[in-house]
Structures are given as structure tokens and as C-alpha cells.
Amino acid sequence: MREAPDLILKVEDLQVSFAIQGGKIEAVRGISFAVRRGSVLALVGESGSGKSVIAQSILRILPRNGSIDSGSILFYDDKRPGDPVDVAKLDARDPYLYELRGGRISMVFQEPMTALSPLHTVGNQIEEALRLHQKIDHAAARKETENILTLVGFPDPEKGYERYPFELSGGLRQRAVIAMALICNPSLVIADEPTTALDVTVQAQILGLMKELQRKFKTSILLITHDLGVVANMADEVVVAYHGKVMEAGPVETIFRCPEHPYLVALMAAVPHFDMKKGERLVSLRDMGEENARAIAKLRVRFRVAEASDEYPHLEVTNLRKEFIVRKGTFFRASEARKVVAVDGVSFSIKRGECLGLVGESGSGKTTVSKLILRALTATSGEVWINSASGMVDVLGLRGDELHSFRRQVQMIFQDPFSSLNPRMTVRNILEEPFIVHGIGDAHSRKKEIIDLMALVGLDPRFLNRYPHSFSGGQRQRIGIARALALRPEIMICDEPVSALDVSVQAQILNLLNDLRSELGLTSLFISHNLAVVNYVADRIAVMCRGRLVEMAPREKLFARPVHPYTRALLASVPYPDLDRLLDFSQIRYAGADDVDHWGKAFVADEREGLTGIEIQDGHFVLANRNADARELMQ
């Protein structure tokens, strides 16, 4: 007899380990939880907490060196009356597992590009899942596939069926993965970080879509995430995991309003939010301690900022433009060239010691702007000036030794802390390389500098002979920061430096960057699509859309009273970890933030009137029609 008919899944005392050379690693250590029918259970935790291992165990798709040591995974199958099936006890070749995967329990993976085959059309892949579990011919399967594509919001399902994954945006690829998961109408959907790789507006659309489809299909969802804002907007119940154990569990109301476990309290305090007071710091679960603060203070004495006139900005960008020529053709037909404008007339300035936040969705041109400033790309037109000891220097006109010297003044922290570090070089080699390239010091002085840099970012100098793969994501990012600081730059460009990190590690890195900026007087350009993160680190914020700056203002003014419809749409899509400020999914279901049809005439160029930056308040600019009235724009 069924023990609890309102349950769809019950995990009891699950223990999972991985065999490695010389022993084994316990990844899941006695975790228990239950998913109720028609509800959403959020499994929350940082990297290494065992979340994805639990999902793999439920579907029995663990790697070969992984094994379920003990515990049970009880699945209450609607199509199999009687007692629940203990999935953990099934033989790996049991035919029921083939029915279970995709038919009864399906999965939405974190990265849609790797979850979809690049060799087959979207329609073929979704249809394959249907035909594997149901006896149905191609014509009927295609009709069902187009119907599910319509449900998940594909603008043209018939064309969408014929398209390949690389032809779709990130949001449409994730919709295709959701369609594949729902095509067989499963009882349970496991969503493993389904929105991590998406922009904030696309994320809101996907979350709203999942919520709507869950109600329509009456499906239960096991949502795996580290984003507490997503949890607040989606979950009915929450399980907080840490190092393979449950720290706290309960209804979402209890978890957010009355958190009890110190880990959960600290996790919530580590998330940047818009209500933070000036000077308030994020709480890092693994603070780098007093030694780090002393190292920064010590370096400050040796960090000589070049004397320059304060009459001009430290960095000034004027009418920057970048065009790419895209060619399309085949072996039998000559290629057709078309021009794509990635950056269109961007202008801004940054004062010495100031941090300017540059925000926008993927494809808005943020990273291209940074590469143009660094001379990693050649600008089509425009000007970039840097205020140095010798006066204002034209960056785009630098050549030879002058350009080589300029690269010491401006350094970059990259988005992915793993791919930006050479896996064949030790940390010592990575940190020593900038000194060698620029011919600075001898072996003895370089060693001393490298040890100081390690202390500066809170890493033990004993780790110098290790390779990047032996460090966590947060530690790798700190190595990247140390490398960027090696040449003692005046300007730091941070390109999504915390997007790949866990919440607590993100807090650690953001606190470090703030400390470095305040103590060393660094000028910085901070690029991100996370508005809460930018709000924490930036003095002023510039918003980019389709290659243009659409709004720029001091941080407090922009978030208190955004004017441009694009900025408003971005802010309206941010999921707060607050039950009293949930997203209104009905307003963001299909509307794209960069859809000019929803902007209003004042913000769209026409044949007679072009767009220009209008100052509506002191230091608050918005891109609008030349004849637009500032007071009307504020309404």
C-alpha cells in the first residue's frame, strides 16, 4: 500500500560516494526530503553541496565511479499502481529505468547548449523524446512537438522545429529544453540551475513559463539552485544543503521569514540587494581575515599612483563605435557581407578612484567596449583618452612601446576564472609572467612581489606550486585578481568577475574588490548583468542596450527613479530574495526588455528626430528624442 499518496518522490537517508584513487569521496551524506504532488521543492546550496549528485541519483545517471551506498529513493508512479518504486535498488539495466527517464521523470539541464545536440534540429530532438516513450508516427509526433513549442513560447513553432540550437538565443534554447522535458507529460521535472546562464529578463520569462506550465500540466518540480531570489519566487518548500547534509528544511515562508541555522542566515546575508546602506558590507561565509587587510594596507605604501591633473577624468570615452562585417555564403555561392554595429556612439568618463558600473543584457556591447578600451579590438571610430602623468594620452593612437607601456596602466579581470588561467602553468608562473613580459625586476624581487600578491588576495603562498585545477572557483578568481594587480595598474576593468561564483564566494570577491579600490585608489569599470552586484560596487551606473548607452546616473538615483523603459524592465525582472516583493510574471511573460515597440515614442528614433543624451537631473542622463521634455520623461 502507498505510504503517502500526496507524495511523488521521497528520498530517505541517501548516501552517495565516488571512488577515487586511494579511497572515496562522500558527496551526499544522509540527505532526506520529500516532493509533494503539484508543488515545487527547491534544493538550495553552493557548489559541492551535492545538489546535482542527488539529481543524478534520482535518474540513476551517476558517473561510473559513483555509487549509492545506502538509503532509498521512493518514486510514486501514477502508471504503476501499488507500492512506490525504490529507484536506488533497481538494477542499472532494469527496463523500468528507460521508462522512468524522460517518461516519468525528466530533467531541465543548466546549460542548454550542451544539453542539445548541435547536429540535429530542435524539432527532431524533442520529437525523439516523445517517440521513445510513446508509439506514435512521425506526423503525429511533429504535431505534438509544434504544440509544445507553442506552449513554451516559440514565436514560430513550424520554423522553430527546423532550426538548429546554434541558431537560437539562450532563452529560446532553454525553452526548447523545457519543451523536451515536458513533451511526455512527466510526473516530476528536475530543473538543475535552469536559469543560471541567462540574462535577468530572460530568466524572469523562463521562471514565469515554468510556473505557468507547472500549473497547466500539474507537474511537480524539484528545483536545484543557489539563487535565493529564484527560490523565493518559485518554491513551496525549501531544503538547504551543505557538504552533502541538510542544514535546514521547511515551507518557503518559514525559511525566509524565520531562518534558524547559522549557515542559512549567513547565506542570506551574503546576497547583495538594493536596500543595503552606504558602507554596509556583505557577510562572507569564509572571510579572508585580518591578514588580508594588513596585506592591502602594506601594498598601499608601495602602490604608487601616477600624479596627474584632476582637471580631467581618469578615463574618457567619446563616440566609440565598432562595426563588424559578417559574411554568409556557401561553397557554391559567393558570400554576402553585411555590417553589424556592436557599439554605437558610446560616451562616458570615469573620475580617478571612481567605479562605473556598465550593465545590460548579453549582446548589448558591454564586453566589446572593454576590449576597445584595452585595444584588444580596433575601434571603427571614436576616441579613448587616459589621464596620465604626462597629460591626456590618446589610447587609440598608441603604437609600439607606448602601447606596451599603456597595458601596464590598464588591467582586466576576466569572467571565467578557469579558462582565463593557463592550466599548464603553476600559480607562481602565472603571477610571474606579467613581470617577465614587461621586464620588471629579477628573480628575487619577483618572488617577493608574488608572495605579497598571494597575501593580498587571501591565498597561502605555499600554494604557489599548484596548478589552477586544484583550486576552487573563488580561489581561481582571486589568482586572476592577483595577476591583474601584479603590474600595479591605475585602471581595472572587471568583466563579469563574479557571475560564475557561488553566493558566499561572490561576497568574498566583491568585498575584496571594494577594499582594493578604496585602499589603493583604483579607478574601475565594472561590467555585469547582475544589477544588485553593480549596485553594491559602483558609484555611477551606465545602462547599455543594442550597442548604445540608454541611461547613466549615480547609483542611488538610477535605482530610486529609473527613466528609460529598458532600465525599468531590467529592474522589474530582478528576483528578490524577499517574499514581499515577488516578480509579477504576467508583466514579463513575453515582453523583451529591448523590444522598442514597448518603449514609447520619446525613446525611439524616427525619420525626423535622432536620439541624444538628455540630462533630466544633475548627472542623470537618458537617451531620448532631441525634442523630448525632461519633465515629461520623468513621469
Side-chain angles (χ1 to χ4, degrees):
M1 292 180 63
R2 288 180 182 271
E3 182 182 319
D6 64 323
L7 297 183
I8 192 68
L9 183 75
K10 187 175 183 181
V11 176
E12 289 185 312
D13 195 27
L14 183 65
Q15 299 197 36
V16 182
S17 65
F18 291 91
I20 59 171
Q21 188 173 7
K24 68 176 183 177
I25 295 175
E26 294 181 350
V28 178
R29 300 184 288 170
I31 277 185
S32 300
F33 62 86
V35 183
R36 302 187 181 279
R37 293 181 181 277
S39 69
V40 178
L41 176 82
L43 185 56
V44 184
E46 301 175 277
S47 297
S49 61
K51 306 185 305 294
S52 295
V53 174
I54 292 170
Q56 291 171 349
S57 301
I58 293 169
L59 287 170
R60 295 293 303 275
I61 54 173
L62 285 168
R64 288 187 177 183
N65 66 330
S67 64
I68 299 174
D69 298 329
S70 64
S72 60
I73 303 171
L74 303 177
F75 178 61
Y76 296 82
D77 192 345
D78 295 328
K79 299 178 181 179
R80 190 166 176 168
D83 292 334
V85 179
D86 189 351
V87 179
K89 300 293 190 294
L90 293 178
D91 184 82
R93 297 179 180 177
D94 193 312
Y96 178 70
L97 282 176
Y98 295 97
E99 297 178 32
L100 186 79
R101 300 177 188 131
R104 310 284 196 275
I105 303 176
S106 60
M107 192 161 182
V108 177
F109 293 92
Q110 179 174 354
E111 177 49 65
M113 196 61 193
T114 55
L116 295 169
S117 167
L119 303 177
H120 300 87
T121 65
V122 166
N124 284 338
Q125 294 180 66
I126 298 172
E127 182 183 313
E128 180 186 27
L130 180 64
R131 298 186 71 180
L132 278 173
H133 293 281
Q134 297 180 18
K135 293 180 180 179
I136 187 172
D137 60 26
H138 171 68
R142 171 156 187 157
K143 185 177 180 181
E144 285 292 322
T145 301
E146 291 177 358
N147 287 340
I148 198 74
L149 287 174
T150 302
L151 282 174
V152 299
F154 262 70
D156 190 337
E158 292 184 7
K159 286 185 179 178
Y161 182 98
E162 302 290 349
R163 296 177 78 178
Y164 289 87
F166 64 84
E167 297 180 280
L168 304 176
S169 65
L172 281 179
R173 284 198 293 265
Q174 195 62 291
R175 289 172 191 269
V177 173
I178 292 172
M180 191 186 301
L182 293 175
I183 189 73
C184 294
N185 194 15
S187 303
L188 175 67
V189 173
I190 301 173
D192 187 4
E193 301 276 11
T195 60
T196 298
L198 304 178
D199 287 317
V200 63
T201 51
V202 180
Q203 171 182 264
Q205 292 174 26
I206 295 298
L207 293 177
L209 172 67
M210 289 176 64
K211 201 77 169 168
E212 181 183 323
L213 293 174
Q214 184 225 351
R215 286 193 295 264
K216 184 179 182 68
F217 288 94
K218 298 179 181 178
T219 305
S220 303
I221 296 179
L222 174 59
L223 177 64
I224 297 172
T225 183
H226 66 266
D227 191 329
L228 292 173
V230 170
V231 174
N233 281 273
M234 293 291 291
D236 300 306
E237 294 181 90
V238 184
V239 174
V240 182
Y242 178 68
H243 281 191
K245 291 185 176 181
V246 173
M247 298 292 105
E248 191 165 348
V252 67
E253 286 276 342
T254 305
I255 292 294
F256 277 88
R257 300 196 191 280
C258 307
E260 295 181 357
H261 197 281
Y263 174 73
L264 177 58
V265 174
L267 201 62
M268 289 181 168
V271 180
H273 54 86
F274 296 113
D275 299 327
M276 298 185 73
K277 298 174 183 177
K278 191 173 183 179
E280 182 181 353
R281 284 174 69 86
L282 295 172
V283 177
S284 174
L285 275 70
R286 305 171 191 83
D287 204 359
M288 288 182 278
E290 295 181 3
E291 290 184 8
N292 176 247
R294 286 197 294 268
I296 294 176
K298 180 181 177 182
L299 187 67
R300 184 183 185 183
V301 178
R302 298 163 55 196
F303 218 92
R304 297 176 182 175
V305 178
E307 294 182 3
S309 171
D310 290 332
E311 182 182 352
Y312 301 103
H314 198 176
L315 179 70
E316 186 168 19
V317 175
T318 306
N319 290 326
L320 198 61
R321 183 179 177 88
K322 178 60 180 176
E323 299 172 357
F324 290 98
I325 303 299
V326 180
R327 300 185 183 277
K328 186 177 181 181
T330 66
F331 181 81
F332 301 100
R333 189 180 66 182
S335 60
E336 299 174 2
R338 67 184 181 93
K339 182 170 65 177
V340 175
V341 181
V343 176
D344 187 5
V346 167
S347 300
F348 61 82
S349 62
I350 311 177
K351 299 176 184 176
R352 188 172 295 275
E354 182 186 31
C355 178
L356 176 70
L358 191 60
V359 302
E361 297 177 286
S362 298
S364 60
K366 309 185 300 297
T367 299
T368 305
V369 167
S370 70
K371 290 180 178 179
L372 294 173
I373 294 171
L374 284 167
R375 290 288 303 275
L377 289 175
T378 303
T380 303
S381 62
E383 298 177 335
V384 178
W385 294 86
I386 187 171
N387 187 359
S388 67
S390 58
M392 295 297 287
V393 175
D394 179 9
V395 174
L396 301 186
L398 295 176
R399 298 289 184 275
D401 292 340
E402 291 180 334
L403 179 59
H404 190 68
S405 177
F406 161 76
R407 298 198 191 282
R408 287 188 59 180
Q409 295 176 266
V410 184
Q411 287 289 303
M412 191 165 187
I413 301 172
F414 296 93
Q415 178 173 357
D416 187 343
F418 192 76
S419 62
S420 64
L421 301 175
N422 190 330
R424 294 183 176 86
M425 295 173 69
T426 64
V427 174
R428 182 191 301 276
N429 299 143
I430 289 169
L431 297 183
E432 190 178 20
E433 187 179 34
F435 297 108
I436 294 173
V437 169
H438 289 271
I440 300 172
D442 54 22
H444 178 73
S445 64
R446 288 170 186 165
K447 182 179 179 181
K448 192 174 186 307
E449 290 277 3
I450 290 168
I451 291 173
D452 286 345
L453 286 168
M454 289 289 280
L456 177 72
V457 296
L459 291 175
D460 194 322
R462 292 176 297 179
F463 297 164
L464 280 171
N465 291 322
R466 290 188 182 181
Y467 289 86
H469 72 266
S470 64
F471 293 90
S472 68
Q475 289 173 324
R476 284 196 292 263
Q477 193 61 291
R478 282 192 255 160
I479 294 168
I481 293 172
R483 179 180 59 184
L485 289 169
L487 299 174
R488 301 177 190 174
E490 297 178 25
I491 298 174
M492 188 81 79
I493 297 177
C494 309
D495 187 7
E496 301 271 14
V498 295
S499 64
L501 306 178
D502 283 321
V503 171
S504 62
V505 181
Q506 171 182 275
Q508 194 182 73
I509 297 299
L510 291 176
N511 285 340
L512 172 62
L513 290 173
N514 272 352
D515 291 342
L516 290 169
R517 189 167 66 89
S518 60
E519 289 292 336
L520 306 180
L522 289 171
T523 303
S524 53
L525 175 65
F526 192 98
I527 298 169
S528 179
H529 67 267
N530 189 323
L531 293 165
V533 166
V534 173
N535 175 59
Y536 181 65
V537 299
D539 300 304
R540 289 185 301 129
I541 297 174
V543 183
M544 280 195 77
C545 176
R546 296 187 175 186
R548 306 196 71 175
L549 285 185
V550 296
E551 191 163 3
M552 183 161 56
R555 176 190 60 198
E556 59 278 2
K557 289 184 179 180
L558 186 80
F559 288 113
R561 199 165 186 183
V563 173
H564 199 281
Y566 180 75
T567 309
R568 291 178 179 176
L570 287 181
L571 288 170
S573 301
V574 177
Y576 288 84
D578 185 347
L579 298 179
D580 296 321
R581 288 192 288 181
L582 300 179
L583 292 174
D584 183 358
F585 290 122
S586 63
Q587 297 297 316
I588 52 181
R589 171 67 174 84
Y590 287 111
D594 62 350
D595 187 351
V596 296
D597 293 336
H598 294 83
W599 284 5
K601 293 181 179 179
F603 301 98
V604 181
D606 55 32
E607 294 178 357
R608 293 177 298 174
E609 296 294 338
L611 298 177
T612 188
I614 297 176
E615 187 171 15
I616 56 177
Q617 281 184 339
D618 186 26
H620 191 163
F621 296 86
V622 66
L623 191 68
N625 279 321
R626 298 181 187 278
N627 61 355
D629 184 79
R631 288 172 296 181
E632 292 179 1
L633 295 175
M634 290 289 289
Q635 294 177 358

